[in-house]
């Protein structure tokens, strides 16, 4: 992990001036009743976040501004600010907000538990997947592994900030790849992963609420000696050899994880995210839309989307189909998926029927095959190609 000092983002004078002007206006703020949380307040927060858009959302900016002003309450009533004219108090609020906003970005770590990673325990060793990503294997007689991400940005409990988004993306990519050595990919045994965020000093800040289903999918990863041997084309893996085999697999796929985090391969990463989301979500209509978006992330690239349906179907059929009959089947299955999506989008149906569930399942399988096809192109020259192929 990079231990160089975090470069803070000091608040520009134009934002401090906007806060000052807002709190000077009696329509927006009263010393006796406090702020008015109306349209003008929303406009101010939208303006403030312009300078921090890569760190926080508008809701985050709103929370910080509220905290900045609220922190002055004791000083305003019975403290050194009591009796201060509103215009002078507005300066204090602007300065307080500037100091608060300028304390970001901050450095965090997030520990994501994998409670049933390996029954019987391993050696407790730590694997460096990337500079900012570690996997800690279970100790002897323990089951739980810990995936730790180190990042910078902004986080408060419940935030949907870019830091939280990056974390979710990484967790989905890891879940997708490591599920290949799980007993049954994306199965769940009742365990739930917990995402705990810590400050740079190690203080627990709070828990991140992952997107629907992600905590169950990550919690459902369960590696066995049998599944490990299948994935790595080894003989039955002995208990004392399991740590070395897991390290072998994780280190072999580490370059793939690194590649999927680059702009060059962002479309594949996006498809993986939609695929994982489609499995974790409980609403089948949402799952179908997510499958469609995932496929289009890989197949749809033209700005002119006229005759889009035919082009997408043709592209998928010729990518996955090896024979004329296979291409015809893939074309038909994808066309059925797109037609069903059209009915959902245009409100001709509101939920999936029994026959539609098969269309969804076929669509999900096609998305998985497309992702595997693209992944093989990323690492076609790797010795670990067998490790990441379809299971």
């Amino acid at each position: 992990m990079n231990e160089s000092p975090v470069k803070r983002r000091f608040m520009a004078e134009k934002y401090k001036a906007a806060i000052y002007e807002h709190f000077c206006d009696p329509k927006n703020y009263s010393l006796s009743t406090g702020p008015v949380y109306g349209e003008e307040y929303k406009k101010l927060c939208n303006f403030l976040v312009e300078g921090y858009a890569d760190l926080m959302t508008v809701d985050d900016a709103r929370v910080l501004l509220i905290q900045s002003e609220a922190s002055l309450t004791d000083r305003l009533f019975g403290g050194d600010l009591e009796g201060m004219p509103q215009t002078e108090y507005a300066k204090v609020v602007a300065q307080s907000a500037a100091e608060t906003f300028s304390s970001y970005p901050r450095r965090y770590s997030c520990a994501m538990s994998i409670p049933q990673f390996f029954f019987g325990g391993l050696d407790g060793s730590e694997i460096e997947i990337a500079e900012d990503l570690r996997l800690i294997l279970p100790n002897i007689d323990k089951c739980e592994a810990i995936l730790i991400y180190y990042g910078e940005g902004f986080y408060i409990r419940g935030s949907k900030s870019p830091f939280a988004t990056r974390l979710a993306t990484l967790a989905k990519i890891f879940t997708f790849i490591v599920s290949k050595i799980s007993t049954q990919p994306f199965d769940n045994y009742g365990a739930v992963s917990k995402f705990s965020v810590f400050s740079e000093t190690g203080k627990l800040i709070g828990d991140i609420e992952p997107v629907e289903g992600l905590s169950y999918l990550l919690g459902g990863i369960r590696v066995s000696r049998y599944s490990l041997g299948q994935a790595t084309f080894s003989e039955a893996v002995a208990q004392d050899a399991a740590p070395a085999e897991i390290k072998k697999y994780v280190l072999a796929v580490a370059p793939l994880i690194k590649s999927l985090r680059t702009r060059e391969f962002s479309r594949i990463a996006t498809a993986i995210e939609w695929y994982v989301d489609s499995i974790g979500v409980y609403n089948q209509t949402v799952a179908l839309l997510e499958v469609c978006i995932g496929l289009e992330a890989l197949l749809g690239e033209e700005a002119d989307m006229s005759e889009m349906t035919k082009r997408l179907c043709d592209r998928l059929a010729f990518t996955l189909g090896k024979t004329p009959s296979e291409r015809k089947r893939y074309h038909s299955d994808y066309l059925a998926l797109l037609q069903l999506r059209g009915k959902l989008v245009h409100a001709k149906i509101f939920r999936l029927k029994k026959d539609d569930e098969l269309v969804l399942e076929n669509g999900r399988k096609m998305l998985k095959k497309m992702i595997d096809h693209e992944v093989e192109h990323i690492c076609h020259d790797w010795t670990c190609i067998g490790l990441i192929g379809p299971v």
Side-chain angles (χ1 to χ4, degrees):
M1 176 188 171
N2 184 7
E3 295 295 340
S4 60
V6 181
K7 187 176 181 179
R8 306 297 185 190
R9 185 80 51 81
F10 294 106
M11 177 174 273
E13 288 299 324
K14 64 178 180 179
Y15 300 122
K16 293 168 64 175
I19 297 172
Y20 172 74
E21 291 174 7
H22 180 88
F23 280 85
C24 277
D25 190 336
K27 297 193 299 296
N28 299 326
Y29 181 81
S30 166
L31 283 170
S32 58
T33 60
V36 177
Y37 299 116
E39 287 302 317
E40 292 303 314
Y41 202 89
K42 291 180 181 178
K43 290 180 182 178
L44 175 61
C45 292
N46 275 287
F47 179 62
L48 293 179
V49 85
E50 287 181 5
Y52 301 87
D54 59 329
L55 297 180
M56 62 186 70
T57 66
V58 174
D59 285 340
D60 296 330
R62 181 175 181 272
V63 170
L64 281 187
L65 187 58
I66 290 173
Q67 290 178 345
S68 299
E69 196 276 329
S71 67
L72 303 173
T73 301
D74 290 342
R75 296 175 61 192
L76 182 62
F77 299 102
D80 61 307
L81 301 181
E82 187 171 17
M84 179 176 285
Q86 184 165 325
T87 53
E88 292 299 312
Y89 181 69
K91 290 182 181 178
V92 178
V93 173
Q95 184 58 38
S96 175
E99 292 172 357
T100 301
F101 277 78
S102 299
S103 67
Y104 294 94
R106 296 179 183 176
R107 185 170 285 143
Y108 305 100
S109 63
C110 181
M112 296 165 274
S113 64
I114 312 175
Q116 298 184 129
F117 186 80
F118 196 93
F119 279 59
L122 295 167
D123 61 359
S125 59
E126 183 173 310
I127 305 172
E128 180 177 315
I129 302 173
E131 186 182 40
D132 58 354
L133 190 64
R134 306 283 191 277
L135 178 65
I136 302 177
L137 299 179
N139 284 313
I140 298 174
D141 298 327
K142 300 292 183 181
C143 304
E144 185 176 80
I146 304 291
L147 181 67
I148 303 180
Y149 168 64
Y150 303 91
E152 295 179 1
F154 169 88
Y155 179 75
I156 54 176
R157 189 178 180 88
S159 172
K160 304 297 183 184
S161 67
F163 169 79
T165 300
R166 290 194 301 271
L167 178 63
T169 295
L170 192 54
K172 291 174 191 176
I173 291 173
F174 179 85
T175 299
F176 176 83
I177 293 174
V178 176
S179 70
K180 293 178 181 293
I181 56 170
S182 185
T183 51
Q184 288 185 332
F186 296 112
D187 200 359
N188 180 257
Y189 297 85
V192 178
S193 176
K194 185 178 180 181
F195 290 49
S196 301
V197 181
F198 299 86
S199 69
E200 189 172 5
T201 60
K203 179 181 178 182
L204 177 64
I205 299 175
D207 299 330
I208 285 183
E209 184 65 34
V211 294
E212 185 178 357
L214 180 56
S215 58
Y216 288 95
L217 296 176
L218 191 59
I221 291 176
R222 181 177 178 178
V223 179
S224 70
R225 289 184 291 163
Y226 173 74
S227 62
L228 187 60
Q230 275 194 319
T232 58
F233 300 110
S234 304
E235 298 295 330
V237 177
Q239 182 70 28
D240 59 356
E245 287 295 306
I246 289 175
K247 291 176 188 176
K248 172 185 173 184
Y249 178 86
V250 173
L251 291 174
V253 299
L256 172 60
I257 294 175
K258 180 179 180 180
S259 295
L260 290 172
R261 297 172 70 187
T262 64
R263 181 181 295 274
E264 182 180 1
F265 299 110
S266 61
R267 288 166 59 131
I268 304 174
T270 298
I272 288 174
E273 285 201 68
W274 286 114
Y275 176 75
V276 173
D277 285 343
S278 77
I279 294 173
V281 72
Y282 295 108
N283 188 313
Q284 287 185 314
T285 59
V286 174
L288 187 135
L289 294 175
E290 289 171 338
V291 167
C292 290
I293 296 171
L295 282 166
E296 288 170 23
L298 296 175
L299 295 167
E301 58 187 25
E302 295 93 340
D304 177 13
M305 297 306 285
S306 60
E307 298 185 5
M308 177 191 73
T309 298
K310 183 179 185 304
R311 284 206 304 274
L312 292 179
C313 291
D314 287 345
R315 191 172 297 156
L316 180 135
F318 278 88
T319 300
L320 299 181
K322 307 302 181 187
T323 65
S325 60
E326 277 191 350
R327 290 168 187 158
K328 184 177 180 180
R329 176 170 58 83
Y330 280 124
H331 192 287
S332 177
D333 286 347
Y334 194 16
L335 179 61
L337 181 72
L338 292 176
Q339 288 175 337
L340 184 56
R341 182 195 66 169
K343 292 178 182 178
L344 289 171
V345 170
H346 298 294
K348 293 181 179 179
I349 61 172
F350 299 97
R351 58 183 59 85
L352 299 189
K353 300 176 183 178
K354 195 67 177 177
D355 291 344
D356 298 333
E357 293 177 6
L358 180 59
V359 175
L360 169 59
E361 187 57 32
N362 286 338
R364 192 179 279 133
K365 288 178 180 177
M366 288 189 291
L367 176 55
K368 172 68 164 52
K369 282 181 175 291
M370 281 297 304
I371 293 171
D372 284 338
H373 177 271
E374 295 299 317
V375 164
E376 288 175 9
H377 279 285
I378 295 178
C379 51
H380 60 83
D381 58 341
W382 292 4
T383 57
C384 65
I385 183 64
L387 303 181
I388 58 172
V391 296

